């Protein structure tokens, strides 16, 4: 009897069985797909098929090192999890904890992932990546209350709420281990390279209009000349060496340049007044010279008449 049961169990194990429905009822049900040998390459999984025998999807274990979801058979892997915990979408060999790969054909815009949301607005964000309470990355945030999210409905936010330090960058762009661009929590920005823009607006007060005040002490040209001979640069303007060492504050420098232009304008106005005064004096001298010449002629005529007598 025992031999008969053993034989029937062996035949059942070797033959392909077809069931319309399988139910495993247990407190913690587990199905084991156990190998019959212990060497060679292998796969273990569930393969779905259509009625005509065409493969649908494969879900299972490849060689004991990777769990995969494949289209057709196990070769066309769409989603994999490696034994080291790396997860890949569109790649069979993810090199990081989460890697998404997609071929970009015909130089088209490539969309790697899309996050959609619906329902009531407020207090939600499309993508949020955080590290404890110090760092945060958000895209298309709809949060308008206090917290990590700055502004209302911002499209792109990168934040660092670490130590209260003006040098703790809120946004950093780094290449070759060097910060190429940074925006600090204080609002200061750093750009290690050229900047090309269509328009720059600098808001800085006060401006240089104080030069036109009646009580403004306009420097004497003699003093400016002396300063230039000694210092080799204009008064109140940094020297070339200082600029090369410390840089130039564009807003303050523009105001200083405007101040010097306004001072030059006052000098020009004063010189124009002096020129007009000289012209008037020249006209007067010319008129007096003509009168003198006329008097000389009259005197000469009188002298000539006297000599004839």
């Amino acid at each position: 009897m025992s031999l008969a049961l053993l034989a029937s169990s062996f035949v059942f194990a070797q033959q392909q069985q077809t069931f319309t429905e399988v139910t495993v009822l247990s407190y913690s049900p587990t199905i084991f797909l156990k190998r019959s040998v212990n060497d060679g390459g292998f796969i273990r999984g569930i393969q779905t098929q259509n009625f005509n025998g065409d493969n649908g999807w494969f879900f299972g274990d490849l060689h004991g090192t990777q769990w995969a979801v494949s289209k057709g058979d196990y070769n066309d892997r769409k989603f994999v999890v490696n034994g080291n915990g790396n997860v890949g979408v569109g790649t069979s060999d993810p090199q990081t904890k989460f890697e998404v790969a997609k071929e970009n054909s015909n130089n088209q815009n490539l969309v790697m992932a899309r996050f959609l949301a619906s329902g009531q607005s407020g207090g939600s964000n499309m993508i949020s990546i955080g590290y404890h309470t110090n760092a945060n990355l958000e895209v298309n945030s709809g949060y308008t209350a206090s917290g990590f999210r700055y502004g209302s409905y911002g499209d792109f936010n990168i934040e660092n709420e670490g130590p209260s330090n003006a040098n703790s960058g809120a946004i950093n762009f780094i290449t070759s281990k060097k910060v190429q661009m940074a925006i600090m929590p204080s609002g200061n920005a750093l750009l290690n390279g050229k900047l090309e823009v269509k328009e720059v607006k600098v808001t800085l007060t006060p401006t240089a209009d104080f030069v036109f005040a009646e009580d403004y002490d306009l420097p004497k040209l003699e003093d400016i000349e002396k300063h230039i001979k000694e210092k080799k640069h204009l008064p109140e303007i940094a020297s070339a060496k200082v600029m090369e060492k410390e840089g130039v504050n564009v807003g303050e420098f523009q105001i200083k340049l405007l101040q010097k232009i306004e001072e030059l304008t006052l000098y020009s106005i004063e010189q124009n007044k002096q020129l007009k005064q000289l012209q008037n004096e020249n006209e007067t001298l010319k008129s007096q010279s003509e009168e003198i010449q006329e008097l000389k002629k009259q005197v000469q005529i009188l002298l000539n008449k006297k000599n004839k007598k």
Side-chain angles (χ1 to χ4, degrees):
M1 185 64 176
S2 299
L3 291 174
L5 290 173
L6 181 61
S8 62
S9 298
F10 179 76
V11 172
F12 180 84
Q14 297 297 319
Q15 292 179 349
Q16 179 175 325
Q17 301 294 319
T18 302
F19 302 93
T20 57
E21 185 175 307
V22 176
T23 301
V24 178
L25 184 62
S26 173
Y27 178 78
S28 298
T30 303
I31 298 176
F32 292 94
L33 302 177
K34 190 173 182 179
R35 299 186 64 209
S36 60
V37 294
N38 198 34
D39 56 340
F42 63 92
I43 61 171
R44 289 176 295 197
I46 298 174
Q47 176 70 63
T48 65
Q49 288 186 336
N50 297 327
F51 181 77
N52 61 1
D54 292 341
N55 289 336
W57 288 86
F58 171 83
F59 308 85
D61 171 14
L62 303 181
H63 316 299
T65 60
Q66 187 179 80
W67 187 86
V69 176
S70 297
K71 186 69 175 71
D73 59 16
Y74 62 88
N75 290 306
D76 189 10
R77 282 161 278 183
K78 305 299 184 183
F79 179 83
V80 298
V81 180
N82 284 348
N84 60 4
N86 289 355
V87 177
V89 178
T91 176
S92 61
D93 186 22
Q95 300 298 309
T96 60
K97 288 303 178 184
F98 183 65
E99 181 176 331
V100 180
K102 182 179 180 182
E103 182 181 357
N104 187 7
S105 59
N106 300 325
N107 295 323
Q108 299 297 315
N109 292 332
L110 180 62
V111 179
M112 300 297 297
R114 179 174 294 160
F115 298 84
L116 303 176
S118 61
Q120 296 181 355
S121 61
S124 62
N125 47 279
M126 300 297 289
I127 301 176
S128 179
I129 300 174
Y131 179 76
H132 296 301
T133 59
N134 292 332
N136 193 61
L137 164 63
E138 291 187 0
V139 177
N140 196 22
S141 171
Y143 191 84
T144 58
S146 61
F148 287 130
R149 305 157 183 84
Y150 296 144
S152 175
Y153 296 93
D155 289 331
F156 185 65
N157 293 324
I158 301 177
E159 303 163 26
N160 179 10
E161 294 194 353
S164 180
N165 187 339
N167 294 323
S168 297
I171 301 179
N172 289 324
F173 295 88
I174 302 175
T175 59
S176 301
K177 297 183 179 180
K178 293 183 179 179
V179 176
Q180 303 297 331
M181 177 177 177
I183 301 177
M184 309 301 183
S186 62
N188 295 338
L190 166 69
L191 177 61
N192 187 15
K194 295 181 179 180
L195 174 65
E196 180 178 346
V197 296
K198 290 187 177 296
E199 182 178 348
V200 175
K201 182 178 181 180
V202 179
T203 55
L204 186 68
T205 55
T207 61
D209 289 346
F210 58 84
V211 173
F212 297 139
E214 294 182 0
D215 58 349
Y216 179 70
D217 187 14
L218 185 65
K220 296 180 180 179
L221 289 175
E222 294 82 359
D223 295 335
I224 295 176
E225 181 183 12
K226 180 180 178 182
H227 186 280
I228 292 175
K229 287 182 178 180
E230 294 177 356
K231 307 293 185 179
K232 306 302 180 184
H233 62 85
L234 284 173
E236 300 181 84
I237 301 295
S239 65
K241 290 183 178 180
V242 173
M243 291 184 185
E244 292 173 359
K245 181 180 179 180
E246 301 179 3
V248 177
N249 185 308
V250 175
E252 293 180 357
F253 189 66
Q254 289 294 100
I255 297 300
K256 284 295 181 183
L257 290 179
L258 179 60
Q259 177 183 344
K260 297 307 171 184
I261 291 174
E262 292 181 352
E263 289 177 351
L264 284 174
T265 301
L266 292 179
Y267 291 132
S268 298
I269 292 174
E270 184 63 27
Q271 288 178 351
N272 185 57
K273 290 180 179 179
Q274 293 177 2
L275 287 174
K276 286 186 176 181
Q277 184 177 354
L278 289 174
Q279 288 176 353
N280 292 333
E281 292 176 355
N282 287 336
E283 291 294 330
T284 301
L285 291 174
K286 182 180 179 181
S287 177
Q288 292 176 350
S289 176
E290 290 176 352
E291 290 178 358
I292 291 173
Q293 293 297 327
E294 183 63 27
L295 287 174
K296 285 183 176 181
K297 289 180 181 179
Q298 296 296 329
V299 170
Q300 188 64 42
I301 292 173
L302 292 173
L303 290 174
N304 292 336
K305 288 182 177 180
K306 185 178 180 181
N307 292 330
K308 287 181 180 180
K309 292 180 178 180

